[in-house]
Amino acid sequence: SHGYPELSCFDTFFSKMINTFIYISRDQAQYHKIRLKIRTRGKIIHNGVDIFEFLRPYDEEEIHNEFGFGSETKLVGIVGRIDWWKGHEYFLEAMAKVVQSTPDVKGLIIGDLEKNVVTQKNLRYFEKLKSLVKSLDLGEKIVFTGFRQDVPRLISALDVLVHASSIPEPFGLVVIEGMAAGKPVVATAAGGVL
């Protein structure tokens, strides 16, 4: 199970015939037990990452140069698709405060709108984020990288990785990706992240 579903009567009836549910976090298992009242046995198997991709040496200076940053620039990043509940606005609001005390810091928003399922809500959210960058005077401080296939490489250059989802994540894969890379992670204290 991946997520926090609402079960139909049909689903609830057939859930009694399941021998074991596999959950990706304790929070998800608790949700099924308490909220959905599923008493069937469950097993928690956390998501995993290929840690070797996050431990490989990457050229951080090359990454800084790619975005036009000096090698001394501190990088803070948020990784994840542009989606209304991923908390990018909280990241931007926090960055507006951080740049006041640490002027040589830049932010990377690593990710893009999901190509196959672009909703009007997410399009409006993306426009809101771009407007927020302007209104918070972060135009020189924030880079939207778009979709990237080299996420482990980009994480290697971050000084801090942020996970800011506004609703509980079932697991929060980017949190363990940051941990695998040995980066400090600031994360929303909810859901599977805990």
Side-chain angles (χ1 to χ4, degrees):
S1 178
H2 184 280
Y4 299 99
E6 293 294 329
L7 298 183
S8 67
C9 295
F10 179 81
D11 295 328
T12 303
F13 174 77
F14 281 102
S15 71
K16 296 175 178 119
M17 299 177 194
I18 303 295
N19 292 329
T20 303
F21 280 89
I22 298 174
Y23 304 109
I24 59 173
S25 68
R26 282 189 302 268
D27 187 68
Q28 196 187 27
Q30 286 297 97
Y31 173 85
H32 279 73
K33 182 178 180 183
I34 295 167
R35 168 107 176 170
L36 301 180
K37 297 181 179 16
I38 292 178
R39 303 292 180 221
T40 306
R41 275 190 28 199
K43 182 166 183 63
I44 298 168
I45 301 176
H46 298 293
N47 285 335
V49 296
D50 180 355
I51 62 169
F52 298 107
E53 283 299 308
F54 293 92
L55 294 174
R56 285 181 42 197
Y58 295 98
D59 186 343
E60 291 181 28
E61 188 172 342
E62 179 184 81
I63 298 164
H64 280 246
N65 290 339
E66 179 182 336
F67 296 107
F69 303 151
S71 59
E72 298 302 314
T73 301
K74 300 293 181 200
L75 288 180
V76 180
I78 184 168
V79 180
R81 71 182 177 277
I82 306 292
D83 204 330
W84 66 268
W85 62 277
K86 290 290 189 175
H88 296 84
E89 70 271 29
Y90 305 119
F91 171 75
L92 292 172
E93 290 166 359
M95 284 297 293
K97 293 177 182 177
V98 169
V99 299
Q100 293 173 7
S101 61
T102 313
D104 197 20
V105 66
K106 306 281 186 177
L108 293 180
I109 296 180
I110 304 167
D112 205 349
L113 292 163
E114 193 169 347
K115 296 295 180 205
N116 298 335
V117 192
V118 177
T119 65
Q120 285 301 314
K121 186 174 188 175
N122 284 340
L123 283 171
R124 284 192 304 273
Y125 179 67
F126 189 37
E127 292 304 316
K128 173 186 169 183
L129 294 177
K130 291 190 280 188
S131 293
L132 196 54
V133 167
K134 287 180 186 170
S135 68
L136 294 172
D137 198 25
L138 292 172
E140 300 296 315
K141 298 290 184 180
I142 300 294
V143 172
F144 288 87
T145 70
F147 175 78
R148 298 292 295 242
Q149 293 197 0
D150 59 347
V151 170
R153 176 177 166 267
L154 295 182
I155 288 175
S156 76
L158 298 179
D159 293 287
V160 177
L161 181 121
V162 175
H163 175 278
S165 293
S166 61
I167 62 173
E169 288 262 9
F171 184 75
L173 187 62
V174 73
V175 172
I176 65 169
E177 290 175 340
M179 293 167 67
K183 301 298 175 177
V185 176
V186 176
T188 308
V193 170
L194 294 170

